[in-house]
C-alpha cells in the first residue's frame, strides 16, 4: 500500500462522513414518505473502476456495497464536468437497478480534468407507472407491466438539465410532483459529494486521494479474507422456498438452493439447484455480477459484526465468487418481471445464514422472519382529483434468537435499515385510521434466547375506493428455522375485518377497500435459539409482564409456571425435571411434510433437467411435469434424473401428438 495506516484511517473516516452527509441530504430534502420517513434510498462514492468506495451505515439502506457501478459508468464513452446520468432499467444497467422503482442517478467528480470518483444515489420511487398504483404487483408477468423503463441517459449535460427527459419521466407516473421532488433530492446529494470530495483533494492532494481510494478497497479485502480464514473449510448447504403464485399453475413453491464452499480465505456461493425464472414479479436480475449486492449482504453483515470498523466498500466482495445459473430466478433472462425481487433476496439471505449456522452454530443466530411486507394505499383526493399514493408501513418480522441474546422485536437483520412510518404522518397523508400498531403477543418463537416478536398493524379505511397493495408477503406456509433446539418462527396473517365477518386475504395483489373496512397484518417471526426449557425463568416472567407472552404460553413452551405475577419456582422445577434438551435445526411441521413429498434430490434433478431446455419449452413443460412426478412419487416410484428425462420425452411426444 502507498498510504500509511494513519492516513488510510483518515481517508476511511472522511469518505464515510461524505456518504453519511449524502444520505442525510436525501433524507431531509426528499418528498415521498418512502424516502423521508422510511429511508428507502441509498448513496455512495464509487471508484473509477466501478467498485463502491464508501456507503452509509447510519442512514439509508445497507444495500450498496457490491453494486456493479462499472455497468453504469461504462454506459457512456465520455463525461463532462456537470453531467448527471439517470436510469432505472435492470436490463440495460445489467443488475445495477434491480426493479423499476429504484431510480439511480450518478455524476463524475472531476479534479483538474481527471475523474477521481463517481457519486451515486438511488431512491425507491413510490410510483413509476405500470398497471397498479405503486407500480409493484406480484402478478406482473413481464417488466413492461411494471412501469416506465429508463435506460442510462444524461439527465444533465455539462450542468444543463435535459427537460425532455424530465417531461418523459414525469408524464409516465401517477405522482409527478413528488417524484420530481425526490429526484431533486438525489441531485442535491450528488452535489454534496462533488463538493466534499474536491475539498478532500484540496487538503491532501490528488495523488494521495487516488492512492487512498485504491488502498481502502485493498484494506477491506485483506480484513475480509482474515475473517473468512476463521470459518472452517467445508461445503455447507441450505434450501428454502418462496411461497408465491408463479402464474403457471404449479403447486410446488419456488426453491432457493445454496451450497457455500469455504476454502482458506475465499467463499464460493453456488446457487445451482435454485428454481427457474417465473412468470411473476419475483425474479432477481443479478446478471451474474460478481459479489452482487443483493447476493452478498448476509456475508458482509457477518464481516461487520466481527469487525465493526472494517472499511465498508466493495473490497469486501473480492474474496467472494458466485455461481448463478442463467435462466433461474436469481439470474433471469431479460424482460422478466422484477418488482418483488426483495422477497427473493431475503430468502437468499436466509439460506446464507443457514449455511453460516451449519459452519458456526455457536456464533450464528437462528433464521430471521424472512419477509418484509411493504403496505401501500392509494386513492383520489376528493378535493383536487389528484391521485394520492403512500406507503402505509413497512412490516418486518422479528429477528432470530442470537447465541447470547434474544432476537430483535419487530425487525430483522434482513431489512433492519427500513424505518417505520409514524402513524400521525400516515393519517395526515391518507384518509386512514391506525387502530393498533405494536408487538403481537405470543408471536415470538420460543427458545433459550427467544426470537423477536412480530408486528400487529391494524388500519381502518375512511374513504371509499381506496386501493391497498402489499408486496413481499411471505411465510404463510413455511416457518423461519429454529436453531439448536429452538422453535421455528410464527407465520404471517392478513385479515380483512378481523372483528366482523373475517376474511383471510393471503398474499395480496390489489384489494379495493370500502369505507370502514379494516385490514390487520401480523408479521412473521424468526426462530428461537436453544431449547426453550433452558430459558431463565425470570426472563420468561419479564416477557409475561411486558406483554410479549401469556401465562399459558409460558407454561406450554417454557415449562414456567406463573402465579399471581411471580414464578412458582417449585412447580417450574418439577415441570422441567427430566426434560431432555432439544438440539439441531427445527424447520417446522409444514416444511417436514413438504420434504417428505418432494425430496431435495428430486427437485434438484427436475430443475436441472428443465434448465437444459429453452425457456419457452420449460415454461410449458413445468406444470405437467411436476404433476406427473408428484403423482408417481405418491405412488411409491423412485425418481432420478433418468426417469425425469424419460417423462419429459413422454410429455413432449404427447404434446406433439396433440
Amino acid at each position: 500500500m502507498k498510504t500509511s495506516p494513519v492516513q488510510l484511517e483518515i481517508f476511511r473516516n472522511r469518505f464515510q462522513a461524505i456518504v453519511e452527509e449524502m444520505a442525510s441530504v436525501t433524507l431531509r430534502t426528499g418528498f415521498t414518505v418512502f424516502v423521508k420517513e422510511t429511508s428507502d434510498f441509498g448513496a455512495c462514492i464509487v471508484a473509477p473502476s466501478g467498485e463502491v468506495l464508501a456507503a452509509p451505515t447510519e442512514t439509508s439502506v445497507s444495500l450498496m456495497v457490491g453494486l456493479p457501478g462499472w455497468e453504469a459508468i461504462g454506459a457512456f464513452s465520455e463525461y463532462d464536468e456537470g453531467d448527471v446520468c439517470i436510469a432505472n432499467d435492470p436490463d440495460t444497467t445489467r443488475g445495477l437497478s434491480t426493479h423499476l422503482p429504484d431510480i439511480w442517478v450518478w455524476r463524475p467528480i472531476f479534479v483538474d480534468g481527471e475523474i477521481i470518483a463517481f457519486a451515486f444515489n438511488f431512491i425507491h420511487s413510490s410510483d413509476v407507472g405500470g398497471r397498479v398504483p405503486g407500480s409493484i404487483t406480484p402478478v406482473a408477468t413481464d417488466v413492461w407491466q411494471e412501469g416506465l423503463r429508463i435506460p442510462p441517459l444524461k439527465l444533465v449535460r455539462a450542468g444543463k438539465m435535459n427537460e425532455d427527459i424530465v417531461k418523459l419521466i414525469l408524464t409516465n407516473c401517477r405522482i409527478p410532483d413528488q417524484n420530481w421532488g425526490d429526484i431533486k433530492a438525489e441531485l442535491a446529494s450528488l452535489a454534496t459529494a462533488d463538493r466534499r470530495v474536491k475539498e478532500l483533494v484540496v487538503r491532501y492532494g490528488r495523488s494521495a486521494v487516488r492512492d487512498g481510494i485504491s488502498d481502502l478497497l485493498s484494506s477491506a479485502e485483506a480484513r475480509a479474507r482474515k475473517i473468512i480464514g476463521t470459518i472452517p473449510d467445508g461445503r455447507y448447504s441450505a434450501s428454502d422456498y418462496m411461497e408465491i403464485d408463479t402464474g403457471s399453475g404449479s403447486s410446488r413453491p419456488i426453491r432457493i438452493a445454496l451450497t457455500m464452499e469455504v476454502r482458506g480465505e475465499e467463499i464460493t456461493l453456488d446457487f445451482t439447484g435454485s428454481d427457474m425464472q417465473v412468470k411473476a414479479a419475483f425474479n432477481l436480475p443479478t446478471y451474474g455480477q460478481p459479489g452482487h449486492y443483493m447476493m452478498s449482504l448476509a456475508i458482509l453483515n457477518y464481516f461487520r459484526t466481527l469487525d465493526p470498523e472494517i472499511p465498508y466498500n466493495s473490497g469486501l466482495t473480492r474474496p467472494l465468487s458466485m455461481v448463478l445459473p442463467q435462466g433461474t430466478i436469481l439470474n433471469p433472462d431479460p424482460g422478466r418481471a422484477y418488482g418483488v425481487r426483495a422477497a427473493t433476496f431475503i430468502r437468499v439471505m436466509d439460506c446464507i445464514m443457514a449455511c453460516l449456522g451449519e459452519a458456526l452454530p455457536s456464533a450464528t443466530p437462528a433464521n430471521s422472519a424472512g419477509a418484509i411486507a411493504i403496505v401501500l394505499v392509494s386513492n383520489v383526493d376528493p378535493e383536487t382529483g389528484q391521485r394520492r399514493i403512500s406507503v402505509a408501513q413497512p412490516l418486518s418480522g422479528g429477528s432470530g434468537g442470537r447465541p447470547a441474546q434474544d432476537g430483535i422485536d419487530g425487525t430483522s437483520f434482513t431489512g433492519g435499515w427500513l424505518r417505520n412510518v409514524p402513524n400521525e404522518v400516515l393519517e395526515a397523508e391518507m384518509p386512514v385510521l391506525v387502530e393498533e400498531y405494536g408487538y403481537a403477543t405470543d408471536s415470538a418463537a420460543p427458545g433459550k434466547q427467544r426470537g423477536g416478536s412480530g408486528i400487529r398493524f391494524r388500519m381502518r379505511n375512511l374513504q371509499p375506493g381506496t386501493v391497498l397493495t402489499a408486496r413481499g408477503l411471505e411465510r404463510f406456509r413455511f416457518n423461519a428455522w429454529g436453531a439448536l433446539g429452538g422453535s421455528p418462527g410464527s407465520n404471517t396473517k392478513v385479515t380483512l375485518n378481523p372483528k366482523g365477518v373475517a376474511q383471510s386475504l393471503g398474499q395480496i395483489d390489489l384489494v379495493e377497500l370500502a369505507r370502514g373496512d379494516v385490514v390487520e397484518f401480523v408479521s412473521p417471526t424468526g426462530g428461537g435459539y436453544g431449547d426453550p426449557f433452558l430459558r431463565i425463568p425470570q426472563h420468561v416472567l419479564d416477557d409475561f409482564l411486558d406483554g410479549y407472552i401469556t401465562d399459558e404460553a409460558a407454561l406450554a413452551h417454557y415449562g414456567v409456571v406463573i402465579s399471581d405475577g411471580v414464578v412458582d419456582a417449585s412447580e417450574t422445577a418439577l415441570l422441567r425435571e427430566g426434560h431432555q434438551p432439544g438440539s439441531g435445526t427445527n424447520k417446522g411441521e409444514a416444511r417436514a411434510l413438504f420434504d417428505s413429498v418432494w425430496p431435495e434430490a428430486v427437485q434438484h434433478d427436475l430443475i436441472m433437467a428443465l434448465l437444459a431446455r429453452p425457456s419457452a419449452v420449460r415454461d410449458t413443460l413445468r406444470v405437467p411435469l411436476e404433476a406427473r412426478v408428484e403423482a408417481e412419487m405418491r405412488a411409491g416410484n423412485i425418481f432420478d434424473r433418468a426417469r425425469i428425462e424419460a417423462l419429459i420425452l413422454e410429455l413432449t411426444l404427447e404434446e406433439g401428438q396433440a
Side-chain angles (χ1 to χ4, degrees):
M1 291 189 182
K2 298 180 180 179
T3 311
S4 71
V6 172
Q7 187 67 62
L8 194 67
E9 187 66 7
I10 291 172
F11 281 142
R12 184 184 75 83
N13 282 281
R14 288 297 296 269
F15 278 117
Q16 195 64 38
I18 292 171
V19 295
E20 297 291 355
E21 186 179 1
M22 291 174 67
S24 177
V25 167
T26 309
L27 180 69
R28 289 185 287 107
T29 58
F31 274 46
T32 60
V33 168
F34 214 34
V35 173
K36 67 185 180 182
E37 296 292 349
T38 304
S39 295
D40 197 346
F41 65 86
C44 61
I45 299 293
V46 174
S49 65
E51 293 180 285
V52 173
L53 173 64
T57 58
E58 300 300 322
T59 305
S60 89
V61 304
S62 300
L63 279 168
M64 302 298 288
V65 169
L67 65 87
W70 48 84
E71 298 291 353
I73 293 170
F76 302 96
S77 58
E78 59 183 26
Y79 290 90
D80 295 316
E81 180 89 38
D83 282 353
V84 177
C85 307
I86 189 169
N88 78 334
D89 179 39
D91 295 328
T92 53
T93 64
R94 294 181 57 82
L96 170 67
S97 181
T98 51
H99 68 173
L100 298 184
D102 285 351
I103 298 178
W104 286 85
V105 294
W106 65 97
R107 69 178 288 173
I109 300 175
F110 281 88
V111 175
D112 298 330
E114 175 190 353
I115 297 176
I116 197 164
F118 286 81
F120 275 63
N121 188 289
F122 90 88
I123 56 99
H124 181 116
S125 173
S126 292
D127 186 272
V128 289
R131 65 184 293 268
V132 301
S135 306
I136 298 177
T137 169
V139 300
T141 57
D142 61 44
V143 70
W144 290 276
Q145 298 175 17
E146 298 185 306
L148 176 68
R149 300 175 71 187
I150 309 170
L153 300 171
K154 287 197 176 180
L155 178 65
V156 182
R157 287 185 177 271
K160 182 175 176 59
M161 184 70 66
N162 188 332
E163 297 294 344
D164 290 340
I165 293 177
V166 176
K167 291 177 182 177
L168 180 65
I169 294 172
L170 300 187
T171 302
N172 283 278
C173 63
R174 296 175 176 87
I175 48 172
D177 292 342
Q178 287 185 292
N179 275 353
W180 183 230
D182 281 349
I183 292 173
K184 287 193 290 186
E186 292 187 88
L187 299 180
S189 172
L190 299 187
T192 298
D194 184 79
R195 183 174 67 254
R196 295 304 190 198
V197 170
K198 287 176 178 176
E199 290 173 356
L200 193 64
V201 172
V202 168
R203 178 162 185 173
Y204 295 103
R206 182 173 56 175
S207 179
V209 172
R210 189 193 304 113
D211 291 341
I213 289 172
S214 176
D215 289 344
L216 276 171
L217 290 164
S218 297
S219 172
E221 177 187 3
R223 289 164 74 165
R225 290 185 179 278
K226 183 178 179 181
I227 293 172
I228 294 172
T230 66
I231 304 174
D233 282 1
R235 291 170 60 86
Y236 309 99
S237 298
S239 66
D240 210 337
Y241 294 91
M242 307 286 297
E243 304 164 18
I244 62 179
D245 180 359
T246 64
S248 65
S250 172
S251 61
R252 186 178 63 84
I254 298 302
R255 182 175 188 250
I256 305 296
L258 169 63
T259 297
M260 183 179 82
E261 183 172 0
V262 181
R263 299 184 309 275
E265 296 182 344
E266 296 184 345
I267 292 177
T268 298
L269 301 175
D270 185 348
F271 292 94
T272 300
S274 294
D275 245 307
M276 299 153 287
Q277 59 197 16
V278 294
K279 289 184 178 179
F282 297 86
N283 301 288
L284 176 52
T286 62
Y287 273 83
Q289 297 285 1
H292 191 277
Y293 61 105
M294 282 203 164
M295 308 300 291
S296 59
L297 181 61
I299 297 290
L300 305 192
N301 285 347
Y302 179 69
F303 292 161
R304 291 188 61 226
T305 298
L306 296 189
D307 186 357
E309 299 303 314
I310 198 168
Y312 194 47
N313 63 47
S314 287
L316 301 177
T317 68
R318 289 178 177 177
L320 308 180
S321 59
M322 297 183 184
V323 180
L324 296 163
Q326 182 70 38
T328 63
I329 195 171
L330 303 178
N331 188 11
D333 297 328
R336 294 282 170 159
Y338 308 123
V340 200
R341 88 291 186 244
T344 307
F345 142 71
I346 289 170
R347 195 62 71 248
V348 167
M349 290 191 71
D350 288 341
C351 288
I352 292 175
M353 292 302 295
C355 287
L356 282 172
E358 187 179 343
L360 300 162
S362 63
T364 308
N367 267 153
S368 282
I372 301 174
I374 308 299
V375 181
L376 182 144
V377 289
S378 173
N379 51 40
V380 175
D381 189 321
E383 295 183 2
T384 66
Q386 298 295 310
R387 171 68 64 177
R388 298 181 296 197
I389 299 174
S390 179
V391 170
Q393 205 60 255
L395 297 177
S396 178
S399 74
R402 295 169 283 180
Q405 293 176 277
D406 292 340
I408 304 171
D409 296 312
T411 192
S412 65
F413 314 122
T414 50
W417 60 80
L418 291 175
R419 300 181 181 184
N420 70 314
V421 177
N423 296 333
E424 297 82 359
V425 171
L426 173 60
E427 293 172 346
E429 296 261 346
M430 302 297 287
V432 298
L433 177 67
V434 178
E435 295 188 342
E436 183 177 350
Y437 181 47
Y439 299 134
T441 301
D442 285 342
S443 62
K448 181 181 180 183
Q449 279 78 45
R450 65 166 175 83
S453 293
I455 291 174
R456 187 186 307 277
F457 176 65
R458 190 169 65 252
M459 177 183 70
R460 181 179 296 273
N461 174 48
L462 303 179
Q463 178 179 314
T466 294
V467 172
L468 173 76
T469 64
R471 60 183 181 270
L473 288 167
E474 281 279 330
R475 293 297 193 200
F476 287 90
R477 178 180 177 187
F478 297 129
N479 312 82
W481 306 355
L484 299 183
S487 299
S490 58
N491 291 120
T492 301
K493 297 177 183 177
V494 184
T495 310
L496 178 65
N497 296 322
K499 296 184 178 180
V501 182
Q503 175 187 349
S504 176
L505 294 179
Q507 290 182 315
I508 295 173
D509 170 26
L510 186 148
V511 177
E512 184 167 337
L513 301 176
R515 186 199 304 271
D517 275 349
V518 175
V519 182
E520 181 179 86
F521 295 84
V522 179
S523 66
T525 65
Y529 186 97
D531 188 284
F533 270 50
L534 299 180
R535 186 166 176 79
I536 297 172
Q538 182 62 45
H539 292 174
V540 178
L541 177 62
D542 291 342
D543 284 343
F544 167 73
L545 295 175
D546 290 338
Y548 288 108
I549 63 172
T550 58
D551 54 354
E552 293 90 347
L555 179 65
H557 301 307
Y558 295 99
V560 173
V561 179
I562 298 175
S563 178
D564 296 327
V566 296
V567 173
D568 187 322
S570 60
E571 288 294 324
T572 296
L574 185 63
L575 194 60
R576 287 183 165 191
E577 186 178 354
H579 173 75
Q580 296 299 314
S583 61
T585 299
N586 187 339
K587 301 180 182 180
E589 294 180 3
R591 176 63 186 273
L593 177 61
F594 177 79
D595 286 345
S596 70
V597 176
W598 276 100
E600 297 263 15
V602 174
Q603 291 190 79
H604 177 89
D605 287 345
L606 183 147
I607 291 167
M608 299 309 294
L610 286 173
L611 282 174
R613 271 72 183 175
S615 61
V617 174
R618 70 177 92 109
D619 284 346
T620 58
L621 273 179
R622 174 177 179 166
V623 173
L625 177 61
E626 289 181 355
R628 191 76 62 88
V629 169
E630 184 171 355
E632 293 201 13
M633 286 193 300
R634 288 184 182 277
N637 293 351
I638 304 300
F639 264 84
D640 57 15
R641 178 69 177 269
R643 179 56 186 152
I644 290 172
E645 294 286 353
L647 280 180
I648 290 176
L649 179 59
E650 290 176 18
L651 290 168
T652 304
L653 291 173
E654 290 173 8
E655 181 67 21
Q657 292 168 358

